PDB file of all heavy atoms in Angstrom:
ATOM      1  N   GLN A   6     -17.603 -10.331  -1.095  1.00 97.00           N
ATOM      2  CA  GLN A   6     -16.785 -11.490  -0.685  1.00 97.00           C
ATOM      3  C   GLN A   6     -16.340 -12.308  -1.909  1.00 97.00           C
ATOM      4  O   GLN A   6     -15.188 -12.726  -2.010  1.00 97.00           O
ATOM      5  CB  GLN A   6     -17.592 -12.367   0.293  1.00 97.00           C
ATOM      6  CG  GLN A   6     -16.936 -13.685   0.654  1.00 97.00           C
ATOM      7  CD  GLN A   6     -15.573 -13.521   1.339  1.00 97.00           C
ATOM      8  OE1 GLN A   6     -15.409 -12.721   2.253  1.00 97.00           O
ATOM      9  NE2 GLN A   6     -14.572 -14.273   0.884  1.00 97.00           N
ATOM     10  N   LEU A   8     -16.095 -11.401  -5.068  1.00 98.00           N
ATOM     11  CA  LEU A   8     -15.423 -10.665  -6.138  1.00 98.00           C
ATOM     12  C   LEU A   8     -13.901 -10.890  -6.081  1.00 98.00           C
ATOM     13  O   LEU A   8     -13.292 -10.648  -5.039  1.00 98.00           O
ATOM     14  CB  LEU A   8     -15.743  -9.173  -5.940  1.00 98.00           C
ATOM     15  CG  LEU A   8     -15.317  -8.163  -6.999  1.00 98.00           C
ATOM     16  CD1 LEU A   8     -16.109  -8.371  -8.296  1.00 98.00           C
ATOM     17  CD2 LEU A   8     -15.566  -6.734  -6.476  1.00 98.00           C
ATOM     18  N   VAL A  11      -7.680  -7.320  -6.469  1.00 98.00           N
ATOM     19  CA  VAL A  11      -6.245  -7.074  -6.616  1.00 98.00           C
ATOM     20  C   VAL A  11      -5.892  -5.902  -5.713  1.00 98.00           C
ATOM     21  O   VAL A  11      -6.554  -4.861  -5.775  1.00 98.00           O
ATOM     22  CB  VAL A  11      -5.913  -6.753  -8.098  1.00 98.00           C
ATOM     23  CG1 VAL A  11      -4.539  -6.117  -8.236  1.00 98.00           C
ATOM     24  CG2 VAL A  11      -5.991  -8.033  -8.947  1.00 98.00           C
ATOM     25  N   LYS A  31       8.036 -10.410  22.587  1.00 95.00           N
ATOM     26  CA  LYS A  31       8.461 -11.396  23.579  1.00 95.00           C
ATOM     27  C   LYS A  31       9.599 -12.258  23.022  1.00 95.00           C
ATOM     28  O   LYS A  31      10.629 -12.455  23.671  1.00 95.00           O
ATOM     29  CB  LYS A  31       7.241 -12.272  23.926  1.00 95.00           C
ATOM     30  CG  LYS A  31       7.357 -12.968  25.229  1.00 95.00           C
ATOM     31  CD  LYS A  31       6.041 -13.590  25.644  1.00 95.00           C
ATOM     32  CE  LYS A  31       6.305 -14.619  26.732  1.00 95.00           C
ATOM     33  NZ  LYS A  31       5.187 -15.510  26.922  1.00 95.00           N
ATOM     34  N   GLU A  66       9.576  -1.888  15.298  1.00 97.00           N
ATOM     35  CA  GLU A  66      10.822  -2.224  16.004  1.00 97.00           C
ATOM     36  C   GLU A  66      10.857  -3.663  16.520  1.00 97.00           C
ATOM     37  O   GLU A  66      11.918  -4.173  16.868  1.00 97.00           O
ATOM     38  CB  GLU A  66      11.049  -1.243  17.166  1.00 97.00           C
ATOM     39  CG  GLU A  66      11.428   0.137  16.647  1.00 97.00           C
ATOM     40  CD  GLU A  66      11.625   1.157  17.744  1.00 97.00           C
ATOM     41  OE1 GLU A  66      11.786   0.772  18.919  1.00 97.00           O
ATOM     42  OE2 GLU A  66      11.610   2.363  17.422  1.00 97.00           O
ATOM     43  N   THR A 101      13.258   1.794   7.330  1.00 98.00           N
ATOM     44  CA  THR A 101      12.704   1.625   8.685  1.00 98.00           C
ATOM     45  C   THR A 101      13.492   0.548   9.428  1.00 98.00           C
ATOM     46  O   THR A 101      13.599   0.573  10.656  1.00 98.00           O
ATOM     47  CB  THR A 101      11.222   1.206   8.582  1.00 98.00           C
ATOM     48  OG1 THR A 101      10.517   2.256   7.931  1.00 98.00           O
ATOM     49  CG2 THR A 101      10.592   0.958   9.935  1.00 98.00           C
ATOM     50  N   GLN A 125       2.623 -20.728  -4.483  1.00 98.00           N
ATOM     51  CA  GLN A 125       2.552 -22.182  -4.623  1.00 98.00           C
ATOM     52  C   GLN A 125       1.360 -22.790  -3.891  1.00 98.00           C
ATOM     53  O   GLN A 125       0.661 -23.645  -4.427  1.00 98.00           O
ATOM     54  CB  GLN A 125       3.844 -22.824  -4.088  1.00 98.00           C
ATOM     55  CG  GLN A 125       5.037 -22.519  -4.966  1.00 98.00           C
ATOM     56  CD  GLN A 125       6.382 -22.843  -4.287  1.00 98.00           C
ATOM     57  OE1 GLN A 125       6.457 -23.029  -3.071  1.00 98.00           O
ATOM     58  NE2 GLN A 125       7.446 -22.878  -5.073  1.00 98.00           N
ATOM     59  N   GLU A 126       1.113 -22.341  -2.663  1.00 98.00           N
ATOM     60  CA  GLU A 126       0.103 -23.022  -1.833  1.00 98.00           C
ATOM     61  C   GLU A 126      -1.266 -22.361  -1.857  1.00 98.00           C
ATOM     62  O   GLU A 126      -2.273 -23.011  -1.626  1.00 98.00           O
ATOM     63  CB  GLU A 126       0.597 -23.098  -0.376  1.00 98.00           C
ATOM     64  CG  GLU A 126       1.813 -24.007  -0.234  1.00 98.00           C
ATOM     65  CD  GLU A 126       2.320 -24.081   1.201  1.00 98.00           C
ATOM     66  OE1 GLU A 126       1.597 -23.650   2.126  1.00 98.00           O
ATOM     67  OE2 GLU A 126       3.451 -24.557   1.384  1.00 98.00           O
ATOM     68  N   GLU A 148      21.477   5.330  -1.137  1.00 98.00           N
ATOM     69  CA  GLU A 148      22.132   4.209  -0.451  1.00 98.00           C
ATOM     70  C   GLU A 148      21.226   2.970  -0.485  1.00 98.00           C
ATOM     71  O   GLU A 148      21.670   1.851  -0.733  1.00 98.00           O
ATOM     72  CB  GLU A 148      22.349   4.633   1.005  1.00 98.00           C
ATOM     73  CG  GLU A 148      23.605   4.144   1.656  1.00 98.00           C
ATOM     74  CD  GLU A 148      23.719   4.787   3.049  1.00 98.00           C
ATOM     75  OE1 GLU A 148      23.971   6.014   3.141  1.00 98.00           O
ATOM     76  OE2 GLU A 148      23.504   4.058   4.023  1.00 98.00           O
ATOM     77  N   PHE A 156      19.112  -7.550  -5.357  1.00 98.00           N
ATOM     78  CA  PHE A 156      17.795  -8.193  -5.208  1.00 98.00           C
ATOM     79  C   PHE A 156      16.810  -7.722  -6.283  1.00 98.00           C
ATOM     80  O   PHE A 156      15.596  -7.807  -6.112  1.00 98.00           O
ATOM     81  CB  PHE A 156      17.231  -7.905  -3.804  1.00 98.00           C
ATOM     82  CG  PHE A 156      18.131  -8.359  -2.711  1.00 98.00           C
ATOM     83  CD1 PHE A 156      19.055  -7.489  -2.141  1.00 98.00           C
ATOM     84  CD2 PHE A 156      18.117  -9.683  -2.277  1.00 98.00           C
ATOM     85  CE1 PHE A 156      19.922  -7.907  -1.155  1.00 98.00           C
ATOM     86  CE2 PHE A 156      18.974 -10.114  -1.286  1.00 98.00           C
ATOM     87  CZ  PHE A 156      19.892  -9.221  -0.728  1.00 98.00           C
ATOM     88  N   ALA A 162       9.461  -2.373  -8.462  1.00 98.00           N
ATOM     89  CA  ALA A 162       9.320  -0.914  -8.558  1.00 98.00           C
ATOM     90  C   ALA A 162       9.847  -0.235  -7.301  1.00 98.00           C
ATOM     91  O   ALA A 162      10.006  -0.871  -6.256  1.00 98.00           O
ATOM     92  CB  ALA A 162       7.851  -0.548  -8.753  1.00 98.00           C
ATOM     93  N   PRO A 173       8.377  17.303  -0.747  1.00 98.00           N
ATOM     94  CA  PRO A 173       7.754  17.196  -2.074  1.00 98.00           C
ATOM     95  C   PRO A 173       8.498  16.227  -2.993  1.00 98.00           C
ATOM     96  O   PRO A 173       9.656  15.884  -2.726  1.00 98.00           O
ATOM     97  CB  PRO A 173       7.869  18.632  -2.610  1.00 98.00           C
ATOM     98  CG  PRO A 173       9.062  19.207  -1.918  1.00 98.00           C
ATOM     99  CD  PRO A 173       9.073  18.579  -0.546  1.00 98.00           C
ATOM    100  N   PRO A 174       7.857  15.799  -4.084  1.00 98.00           N
ATOM    101  CA  PRO A 174       8.461  14.850  -5.030  1.00 98.00           C
ATOM    102  C   PRO A 174       9.838  15.295  -5.523  1.00 98.00           C
ATOM    103  O   PRO A 174      10.733  14.470  -5.697  1.00 98.00           O
ATOM    104  CB  PRO A 174       7.454  14.816  -6.185  1.00 98.00           C
ATOM    105  CG  PRO A 174       6.161  15.222  -5.580  1.00 98.00           C
ATOM    106  CD  PRO A 174       6.494  16.172  -4.484  1.00 98.00           C
ATOM    107  N   VAL A 180      17.132  10.295  -7.523  1.00 98.00           N
ATOM    108  CA  VAL A 180      17.163   8.863  -7.172  1.00 98.00           C
ATOM    109  C   VAL A 180      16.119   8.075  -7.976  1.00 98.00           C
ATOM    110  O   VAL A 180      16.350   6.929  -8.360  1.00 98.00           O
ATOM    111  CB  VAL A 180      17.029   8.653  -5.638  1.00 98.00           C
ATOM    112  CG1 VAL A 180      15.636   8.915  -5.138  1.00 98.00           C
ATOM    113  CG2 VAL A 180      17.485   7.249  -5.266  1.00 98.00           C
ATOM    114  N   GLN A 231      -7.409  15.319 -16.884  1.00 98.00           N
ATOM    115  CA  GLN A 231      -6.215  14.688 -17.460  1.00 98.00           C
ATOM    116  C   GLN A 231      -6.043  13.244 -16.969  1.00 98.00           C
ATOM    117  O   GLN A 231      -5.738  12.341 -17.749  1.00 98.00           O
ATOM    118  CB  GLN A 231      -5.014  15.506 -16.992  1.00 98.00           C
ATOM    119  CG  GLN A 231      -3.933  15.684 -18.017  1.00 98.00           C
ATOM    120  CD  GLN A 231      -2.829  16.526 -17.399  1.00 98.00           C
ATOM    121  OE1 GLN A 231      -2.019  16.015 -16.623  1.00 98.00           O
ATOM    122  NE2 GLN A 231      -2.815  17.810 -17.696  1.00 98.00           N
ATOM    123  N   LEU A 239      -5.068   5.549  -9.662  1.00 98.00           N
ATOM    124  CA  LEU A 239      -4.974   6.059  -8.296  1.00 98.00           C
ATOM    125  C   LEU A 239      -5.247   4.899  -7.344  1.00 98.00           C
ATOM    126  O   LEU A 239      -6.309   4.273  -7.453  1.00 98.00           O
ATOM    127  CB  LEU A 239      -6.041   7.130  -8.044  1.00 98.00           C
ATOM    128  CG  LEU A 239      -5.709   8.621  -8.246  1.00 98.00           C
ATOM    129  CD1 LEU A 239      -5.230   8.887  -9.662  1.00 98.00           C
ATOM    130  CD2 LEU A 239      -6.913   9.482  -7.917  1.00 98.00           C
ATOM    131  N   ILE A 241      -6.416   4.178  -4.074  1.00 98.00           N
ATOM    132  CA  ILE A 241      -7.087   4.886  -2.971  1.00 98.00           C
ATOM    133  C   ILE A 241      -7.349   3.930  -1.801  1.00 98.00           C
ATOM    134  O   ILE A 241      -7.633   2.741  -2.002  1.00 98.00           O
ATOM    135  CB  ILE A 241      -8.394   5.531  -3.493  1.00 98.00           C
ATOM    136  CG1 ILE A 241      -8.031   6.615  -4.532  1.00 98.00           C
ATOM    137  CG2 ILE A 241      -9.206   6.133  -2.348  1.00 98.00           C
ATOM    138  CD1 ILE A 241      -9.219   7.349  -5.124  1.00 98.00           C
ATOM    139  N   HIS A 258     -16.129  10.983   1.246  1.00 98.00           N
ATOM    140  CA  HIS A 258     -14.991  10.511   0.440  1.00 98.00           C
ATOM    141  C   HIS A 258     -15.326  10.647  -1.050  1.00 98.00           C
ATOM    142  O   HIS A 258     -16.453  10.376  -1.469  1.00 98.00           O
ATOM    143  CB  HIS A 258     -14.662   9.058   0.783  1.00 98.00           C
ATOM    144  CG  HIS A 258     -13.264   8.677   0.384  1.00 98.00           C
ATOM    145  ND1 HIS A 258     -12.846   8.646  -0.929  1.00 98.00           N
ATOM    146  CD2 HIS A 258     -12.179   8.359   1.136  1.00 98.00           C
ATOM    147  CE1 HIS A 258     -11.561   8.315  -0.963  1.00 98.00           C
ATOM    148  NE2 HIS A 258     -11.132   8.136   0.274  1.00 98.00           N
ATOM    149  N   ASP A 276      -2.694   0.254   5.512  1.00 98.00           N
ATOM    150  CA  ASP A 276      -2.106  -0.302   6.740  1.00 98.00           C
ATOM    151  C   ASP A 276      -3.233  -0.929   7.566  1.00 98.00           C
ATOM    152  O   ASP A 276      -3.644  -0.377   8.599  1.00 98.00           O
ATOM    153  CB  ASP A 276      -1.424   0.822   7.545  1.00 98.00           C
ATOM    154  CG  ASP A 276      -0.356   1.522   6.737  1.00 98.00           C
ATOM    155  OD1 ASP A 276       0.735   0.949   6.559  1.00 98.00           O
ATOM    156  OD2 ASP A 276      -0.617   2.640   6.243  1.00 98.00           O
ATOM    157  N   LEU A 297     -23.971   2.140  -4.625  1.00 96.00           N
ATOM    158  CA  LEU A 297     -23.173   1.639  -5.754  1.00 96.00           C
ATOM    159  C   LEU A 297     -23.823   0.408  -6.369  1.00 96.00           C
ATOM    160  O   LEU A 297     -24.344  -0.449  -5.650  1.00 96.00           O
ATOM    161  CB  LEU A 297     -21.786   1.229  -5.251  1.00 96.00           C
ATOM    162  CG  LEU A 297     -20.749   2.327  -5.022  1.00 96.00           C
ATOM    163  CD1 LEU A 297     -19.678   1.822  -4.068  1.00 96.00           C
ATOM    164  CD2 LEU A 297     -20.112   2.745  -6.338  1.00 96.00           C
TER     165      LEU A 297
END
Side-chain angles (χ1 to χ4, degrees):
Q6 172 61 46
L8 187 68
V11 164
K31 201 169 163 196
E66 289 178 17
T101 298
Q125 291 166 344
E126 293 179 14
E148 216 174 289
F156 302 93
V180 73
Q231 218 179 79
L239 266 58
I241 295 181
H258 200 295
D276 302 284
L297 280 159

